[in-house]
Amino acid sequence: MSGTPTLEVFTDYVCPWCYLGDNRLKKVKKAYDINVKLVHFPLHPETPPEGRSLQDLFNCGPKEIDNKNVHMRGLMGNEGLPYSNRTHTYNSRLAQEIGTWADTQDGGEGIHDKFFEAYFVEGCNLADTDVILNVVARAGLKPEDARIVLEERLFKRAVDEDWSKSHQYGITGVPTFNIAGKSLVGAQSVETLAHLMDEVGAKKH
């Protein structure tokens, strides 16, 4: 393969497997010469602004949610990722628009980690404007610029296009890793992702 291949990662900030998969992908990026492009995915687009309880989302009781949290905390711990018990999911649409804007700013790519942390570590509502602007500030970007992006929905079309691409590709689960016509679904191991890079001829650093 000539040139640097682009790995499209279909993802959502409220998806625990995306949080896990993103961490594993960082290790692969250090080893291979690839471009990574995040494609925002509508995981639970119907979620109201105030959020939705996981018991309601999964139609189960508190014990099942406790078990899910124990399982996820174990997986995250193995990766060295902080994780707090989740009780709710939140609407990530506006966060996705800000994440897309951040990718156009110098040094803005760090915002994706900050959104994951805000939700999975601090339990913040990613639909809340104050939460989003706080994440922007922590990422070293200008909250006043981000506020305009939110108020005028300047990146609505860009995220609409991401959602359309997800539909066109037939993506039903995230994270999905797509490169050179090959795809992997789920929080794949570093070894599996590396094997995919080898398959498509990505060069090692």
Side-chain angles (χ1 to χ4, degrees):
M1 172 180 287
S2 61
T4 303
T6 295
L7 174 67
E8 292 181 312
V9 183
F10 293 80
T11 184
D12 193 311
Y13 295 129
V14 295
C15 162
W17 302 107
C18 296
Y19 179 38
L20 191 62
D22 178 74
N23 192 63
R24 293 173 178 172
L25 179 59
K26 284 183 172 68
K27 299 170 185 174
V28 176
K29 282 173 64 178
K30 288 179 180 177
Y32 290 87
D33 182 23
I34 54 173
N35 295 318
V36 174
K37 183 183 187 318
L38 295 188
V39 183
H40 294 285
F41 177 84
L43 185 59
H44 303 300
E46 74 290 344
T47 306
E50 68 274 13
R52 184 181 181 189
S53 76
L54 295 186
Q55 288 187 53
D56 180 45
L57 178 66
F58 294 116
N59 191 27
C60 66
K63 180 66 175 175
E64 287 84 355
I65 298 301
D66 287 344
N67 290 341
K68 287 177 183 291
N69 276 316
V70 168
H71 178 60
M72 291 309 306
R73 193 162 57 247
L75 290 173
M76 301 297 181
N78 289 338
E79 302 281 334
L81 286 172
Y83 179 86
S84 299
N85 285 350
R86 290 194 303 151
T87 59
H88 287 72
T89 189
Y90 295 107
N91 193 307
S92 59
R93 171 68 197 218
L94 292 179
Q96 291 182 356
E97 292 183 19
I98 288 296
T100 305
W101 162 76
D103 278 337
T104 70
Q105 308 297 301
D106 286 342
E109 65 276 359
I111 201 168
H112 308 301
D113 287 344
K114 301 301 183 186
F115 273 127
F116 280 132
E117 290 166 11
Y119 176 54
F120 289 107
V121 183
E122 299 162 20
C124 294
N125 180 353
L126 297 189
D128 185 280
T129 298
D130 289 339
V131 168
I132 292 173
L133 296 179
N134 181 258
V135 169
V136 168
R138 283 199 232 171
L141 300 174
K142 296 179 179 178
E144 58 270 27
D145 291 349
R147 186 181 293 278
I148 294 170
V149 171
L150 287 174
E151 289 174 351
E152 300 185 14
R153 301 296 295 277
L154 297 179
F155 281 77
K156 179 182 184 299
R157 178 178 293 180
V159 176
D160 283 345
E161 289 173 357
D162 276 3
W163 285 20
S164 293
K165 178 180 278 192
S166 299
H167 180 71
Q168 290 163 9
Y169 280 32
I171 306 296
T172 57
V174 284
T176 290
F177 303 92
N178 188 75
I179 185 169
K182 294 180 180 289
S183 292
L184 287 173
V185 181
Q188 301 291 333
S189 68
V190 172
E191 293 76 17
T192 301
L193 289 170
H195 180 69
L196 177 62
M197 299 308 114
D198 290 334
E199 265 193 288
V200 301
K203 296 176 181 176
K204 290 188 176 180
H205 289 308

